[in-house]
């Protein structure tokens, strides 16, 4: 079971001002540069589409589309600053609202709330193809390895399941595990000289690491480092600011509030991730559950129940009243 939601804007009279359909009209006008071209793409008449735009402008009390004469008596159209800001604000509202709805759904229907960070800290390095994500990740891995951190890499693979050529490059950089996920499951690659049993791999390289770096061409709902390139994109892919830790590569135009660190400042980027992600994750979980050698993440309220129950029983024992660190191992009897 999962939640679905849809947002639209109404004026004080209860009439729709902006929804997905109207948003698509504005985006097509911006992309194609004319009302007739946008109308054709929407399978509408230019007259009807123009009427939709006029109605939006009347309800919003402002100009959304500016039209000017072009060569051979053609007319070109472009969105005004008001329209562009309206589109971006609506998209932010849609994403933020859906995220809040998902959290509320978990709290009400599943009795849980998000702890803020996964049990294993995960950071996404996002950017378009050819932006330099792999080079940045290799540099970050070397920096973290020099600090004694254990890092794994998660990368999407295509349906063919072929091993990406850069896997060996990451091993040379010092990565301790490479996790590949795809539509048919996932697999873990480790350096050739290491021959570990599956349960050891699961305990040490899935949940026994200090940080997992995810390489992605699209934004994910996780703390993110964005490799931005002016020749490949207009604005960063990670529009949701609470997920965006830092932008690197080229500095985005038109806004001064993007958190930015130069790509060659690996120490600065690593220091930021240490403070914003890793240390928060290390301080968040006070109870660790190992089942047959595998670390099992727990919801926050489960951690509290187990911690309070065990602490209460142990501190009632003689000479254990001031216990600060308790380790309990239970051998489950075999059921015949």
């Amino acid at each position: 079971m999962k939640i679905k939601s849809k947002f639209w804007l109404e004026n004080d009279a209860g009439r729709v001002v902006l929804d997905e359909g109207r948003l698509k009209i504005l985006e097509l006008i911006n992309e194609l540069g004319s009302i007739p071209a946008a109308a054709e793409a929407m399978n509408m008449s230019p007259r009807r589409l123009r009427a939709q735009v006029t109605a939006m402008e009347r309800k919003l009390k402002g100009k959304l589309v500016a039209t000017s004469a072009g060569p051979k008596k053609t007319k070109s159209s472009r969105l005004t600053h008001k329209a562009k800001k309206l589109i971006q604000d609506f998209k932010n509202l849609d994403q933020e609202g859906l995220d809040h709805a998902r959290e509320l759904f978990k709290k009400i229907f599943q009795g849980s709330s998000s702890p803020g960070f996964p049990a294993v800290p995960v950071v996404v390095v996002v950017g378009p193809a050819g932006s330099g994500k792999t080079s940045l990740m290799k540099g970050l891995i070397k920096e973290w390895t020099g600090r004694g951190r254990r890092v794994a890499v998660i990368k999407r693979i295509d349906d063919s399941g072929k091993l990406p050529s850069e896997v060996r490059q990451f091993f040379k950089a010092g990565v301790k595990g490479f996790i590949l996920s795809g539509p048919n499951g996932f697999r873990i690659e480790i350096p050739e000289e290491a021959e570990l049993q599956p349960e050891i791999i699961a305990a040490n390289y899935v949940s026994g690491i200090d940080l997992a770096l995810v390489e992605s061409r699209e934004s994910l709902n996780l703390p993110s480092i964005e490799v931005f390139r002016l020749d490949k994109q207009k604005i960063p892919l990670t529009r949701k600011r609470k997920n965006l830790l830092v932008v690197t590569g080229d500095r985005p135009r038109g806004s001064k509030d993007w958190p930015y660190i130069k790509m060659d400042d690996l120490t600065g980027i690593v220091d930021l991730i240490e403070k914003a992600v890793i240390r928060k994750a290390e301080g968040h979980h006070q109870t660790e559950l190992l089942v047959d050698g595998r670390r099992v993440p727990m919801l926050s309220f489960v951690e509290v129940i187990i911690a309070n129950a065990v602490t209460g029983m142990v501190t009632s024992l003689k000479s254990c009243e001031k216990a600060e660190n308790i380790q309990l191992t239970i051998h489950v009897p075999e059921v015949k």
Side-chain angles (χ1 to χ4, degrees), residues 1 102-115 298-305:
M1 186 169 61
R102 286 170 177 163
E103 290 299 322
L104 187 61
F105 173 80
K106 289 180 182 179
K107 183 176 180 180
I108 295 176
F109 287 91
Q110 299 177 353
S112 65
S113 60
S114 173
M298 294 180 290
L299 298 174
S300 299
F301 79 94
V302 177
E303 285 189 9
V304 172
I305 292 174

Side-chain angles (χ1 to χ4, degrees), residues 10 13 36 57 72-73 75-76 82 91 103 121 237 245 252 274 289 310 312 333 336:
E10 297 180 351
E57 291 177 335
K72 299 180 179 181
K73 298 182 180 181
K75 292 183 178 180
S76 62
K82 178 183 180 70
K91 286 184 175 181
E103 290 299 322
L237 298 171
L245 298 172
E274 286 278 338
L289 176 63
V310 174
K336 296 183 181 181

Side-chain angles (χ1 to χ4, degrees), residues 103-319:
E103 290 299 322
L104 187 61
F105 173 80
K106 289 180 182 179
K107 183 176 180 180
I108 295 176
F109 287 91
Q110 299 177 353
S112 65
S113 60
S114 173
F117 290 93
V120 174
V122 178
V123 172
V124 181
V125 180
V126 61
S131 60
K133 298 188 297 295
T134 299
S135 297
L136 174 63
M137 290 173 69
K138 288 192 292 184
L140 294 175
I141 290 165
K142 289 181 179 179
E143 180 74 20
W144 263 305
T145 300
R147 301 185 183 196
R149 291 290 191 184
R150 296 163 64 87
V151 184
V153 171
I154 302 174
K155 179 181 174 69
R156 292 291 301 173
I157 54 177
D158 57 25
D159 294 343
S160 68
K162 292 182 179 179
L163 192 66
S165 60
E166 64 266 27
V167 170
R168 301 305 167 199
Q169 299 178 35
F170 283 118
F171 286 152
K172 290 180 180 179
V175 72
K176 298 300 181 184
F178 203 111
I179 306 164
L180 301 105
S181 65
N184 298 319
F186 72 96
R187 77 175 189 259
I188 300 171
E189 292 289 328
I190 57 174
E192 294 177 353
E193 65 274 10
E195 295 183 2
L196 302 179
Q197 297 299 316
E199 63 271 20
I200 302 300
I201 295 174
N204 289 276
Y205 297 111
V206 175
S207 57
I209 57 177
D210 297 304
L211 177 70
L213 286 177
V214 181
E215 184 175 350
S216 176
R217 294 184 184 181
E218 59 184 12
S219 62
L220 303 177
N221 191 24
L222 288 167
S224 302
I225 303 169
E226 172 129 3
V227 183
F228 179 73
R229 296 299 183 193
L230 286 168
D231 60 341
K232 296 179 179 292
Q233 54 196 124
K234 293 182 179 180
I235 59 175
L237 298 171
T238 311
R239 313 284 177 81
K240 191 175 177 185
R241 298 299 180 84
K242 76 174 187 178
N243 288 332
L244 184 61
L245 298 172
V246 65
V247 175
T248 189
D250 297 329
R251 188 187 292 273
R253 294 172 179 169
S255 178
K256 296 182 180 179
D257 61 347
W258 295 102
Y260 179 80
I261 296 179
K262 291 183 178 180
M263 200 165 182
D264 58 359
D265 186 7
L266 298 173
T267 300
I269 297 175
V270 167
D271 285 343
L272 174 67
I273 305 304
E274 286 278 338
K275 180 179 179 180
V277 180
I278 299 179
R279 291 173 190 167
K280 281 189 176 182
E282 290 174 340
H284 175 75
H285 294 275
Q286 297 181 340
T287 304
E288 182 180 56
L289 176 63
L290 293 174
V291 178
D292 297 331
R294 184 191 298 270
R295 185 179 178 185
V296 180
M298 294 180 290
L299 298 174
S300 299
F301 79 94
V302 177
E303 285 189 9
V304 172
I305 292 174
I306 293 177
N308 289 344
V310 174
T311 301
M313 289 185 289
V314 171
T315 53
S316 67
L317 301 176
K318 189 175 181 179
S319 75

Side-chain angles (χ1 to χ4, degrees), residues 286 322-327:
Q286 297 181 340
K322 298 181 179 181
E324 295 181 355
N325 185 20
I326 302 171
Q327 293 183 346

Side-chain angles (χ1 to χ4, degrees), residues 76-94:
S76 62
S77 300
R78 67 182 188 279
L79 297 186
T80 63
H81 176 74
K82 178 183 180 70
K84 291 179 180 179
K85 186 176 186 305
L86 180 67
I87 290 173
Q88 189 58 56
D89 288 346
F90 184 84
K91 286 184 175 181
N92 289 339
L93 171 67
D94 189 63

